[in-house]
Amino acid sequence: MRIIVTGGLGFLGFNLCRYLLSLNNEVTVIDRFGLSDKDHHKELCKSGIEYIVHDIIEPIEIDGKIDQIYHLASRASPNDYQKYPIDTALTNSLGTKNMLDLAKGKNARLLFTSTSEIYGDPQVYPQREDYFGNVNPIGIRSCYVESKRFGEALVMAYHSVFRTDVKIVRIFNAYGPGMRPDDGRVISNFINQAIKSAPVTIYGNGTQTRSFCYVDDVIEGIYRMMNAESFIGPVNIGNPYNISIKKIANLIIKLTDAKSKIVYLELPKDDPIRRSPDITLARLRLNWEPKISLTEGLKRTIKYYKNLRVSR
Ligand code: UDP
């Protein structure tokens, strides 16, 4: 099968490519960043993967047949997308249009990776797919949240007008090997601070909660959704186990055996107080649920970041 992965150099993209290659698929990555000799790029270079350097904000034509398109390209770290709000909004709107046009022209199936952020600061716990969310349309997160919401709407519009074969997954907080140490998200921040014995930075008082899903589980969920028949979604992919940011800081300090102190910094605006997926639908339709416990996932991730420090 020939499969396109947009954003194949990103955290989830790289892990997905690795998985698809292990199943002997022909994988073509579209990413605006070129392959470099850094970190995990080396592995993709060696795998003989087809690689197209292209910014999906511009339309693209590709020769030959395409069976499936995993559309992952987007900044996803709040740090990152708040620094580049226009680029983020256009990637998820224009970029998604361009990928839908590609899917339509090739008669390919397209899976859109949406996000738990579309639920905003939810008033309903846990969040089911039929919850419409509580979103600030003009806040510092809106470039990402609203463009992902628009992306979902556009995907459904292509399906209703052109019968394009589409799927939507809503991915909750993910972590694991392959995330940049300076990505800015909480688990990579805390682990990298702890292994340097630097202060661990909690934003706010740390009572806000999240549910963290290990990357291998996320990839398995996305893959199952892509290959499920007669099911468009949206479907939540995440780990229902909920934990406060303060507890996760202490757990990481314990697992790394670090001497780090905790420092409390200002809570960013519109930071959701509580987020946790209801995965009943994924269990039912995809026979999927996370397998890796938080402690096990953190141990693997700590090992990854420690090795990365040594190899640099
Ligand atoms: N956070 C924190 N310290 C950090 C990074 C993040 O306390 O160094 C908090 C952040 O304010 C949020 C939670 O951890 O409440 C998860 O943040 P992340 O950026 O990983 O993803 P989000 O769920 O906010 O999209």
Side-chain angles (χ1 to χ4, degrees):
M1 202 179 296
R2 182 169 186 219
I3 302 176
I4 302 276
V5 179
T6 76
L9 280 199
F11 163 53
L12 292 179
F14 162 72
N15 281 285
L16 176 65
C17 287
R18 190 144 78 157
Y19 186 65
L20 295 172
L21 287 167
S22 77
L23 300 174
N24 290 325
N25 291 292
E26 203 184 317
V27 180
T28 301
V29 165
I30 304 178
D31 200 297
R32 66 174 155 198
F33 299 112
L35 280 171
S36 68
D37 58 0
K38 275 195 239 148
D39 306 337
H40 55 251
H41 300 186
K42 274 186 200 155
E43 188 181 323
L44 280 187
C45 291
K46 275 192 224 144
S47 71
I49 205 163
E50 188 188 1
Y51 194 84
I52 300 172
V53 182
H54 177 81
D55 188 336
I56 57 160
I57 289 176
E58 303 299 331
I60 185 169
E61 282 180 20
I62 292 181
D63 289 336
K65 71 159 189 143
I66 297 170
D67 300 294
Q68 296 181 336
I69 301 173
Y70 286 89
H71 176 29
L72 277 72
S74 171
R75 301 177 189 277
S77 165
N79 260 10
D80 234 12
Y81 64 65
Q82 285 165 25
K83 220 185 278 171
Y84 303 98
I86 297 174
D87 176 70
T88 302
L90 294 181
T91 300
N92 288 317
S93 51
L94 274 181
T96 299
K97 178 201 179 293
N98 290 329
M99 291 307 105
L100 281 163
D101 284 335
L102 184 64
K104 177 174 160 259
K106 296 286 183 183
N107 236 343
R109 176 174 286 180
L110 178 139
L111 177 144
F112 177 59
T113 51
S114 186
T115 163
S116 57
E117 293 231 26
I118 67 105
Y119 299 119
D121 190 5
Q123 307 293 297
V124 168
Y125 313 103
Q127 292 86 55
R128 271 176 29 164
E129 291 82 351
D130 56 3
Y131 176 53
F132 294 161
N134 175 38
V135 171
N136 177 355
I138 55 164
I140 54 171
R141 287 187 175 238
S142 57
C143 59
Y144 182 63
V145 178
E146 292 292 7
S147 62
K148 283 288 189 187
R149 288 174 71 99
F150 174 78
E152 287 196 17
L154 195 65
V155 162
M156 294 312 290
Y158 267 66
H159 178 70
S160 94
V161 175
F162 303 120
R163 309 311 299 167
T164 310
D165 187 1
V166 294
K167 280 156 181 304
I168 300 172
V169 292
R170 292 181 181 154
I171 303 172
F172 283 65
N173 295 63
Y175 72 101
M179 186 180 278
R180 287 186 347 248
D182 62 349
D183 172 276
R185 273 174 285 186
V186 67
I187 290 191
S188 56
N189 270 9
F190 285 0
I191 295 178
N192 285 288
Q193 290 162 344
I195 59 185
K196 285 187 275 190
S197 292
V200 166
T201 54
I202 290 185
Y203 303 159
N205 61 13
T207 54
Q208 70 271 37
T209 68
R210 293 292 189 275
S211 307
F212 296 98
C213 195
Y214 188 68
V215 61
D216 291 2
D217 284 327
V218 176
I219 298 304
E220 179 65 31
I222 296 175
Y223 176 79
R224 286 192 189 201
M225 180 58 172
M226 175 60 108
N227 295 293
E229 292 309 321
S230 316
F231 182 40
I232 292 175
V235 67
N236 290 337
I237 296 293
N239 193 323
Y241 176 69
N242 210 241
I243 184 168
S244 75
I245 296 305
K246 193 172 181 174
K247 274 199 179 146
I248 201 136
N250 284 317
L251 181 58
I252 287 173
I253 290 173
K254 192 174 130 204
L255 291 174
T256 47
D257 213 5
K259 308 271 171 293
S260 296
K261 293 206 163 43
I262 290 179
V263 294
Y264 292 88
L265 305 177
E266 200 182 332
L267 185 70
K269 266 189 155 178
D270 292 333
D271 199 281
I273 292 167
R274 200 170 159 194
R275 185 192 283 155
S276 131
D278 181 320
I279 60 163
T280 309
L281 199 58
R283 282 195 174 107
L284 216 70
R285 300 299 301 263
L286 308 178
N287 193 23
W288 174 88
E289 62 181 7
K291 298 265 182 297
I292 316 279
S293 71
L294 183 60
T295 304
E296 174 57 26
L298 286 176
K299 282 184 185 162
R300 294 186 195 181
T301 311
I302 290 165
K303 195 170 164 201
Y304 167 77
Y305 284 125
K306 279 188 173 165
N307 285 341
L308 209 59
R309 265 172 73 76
V310 174
S311 65
R312 277 179 172 177

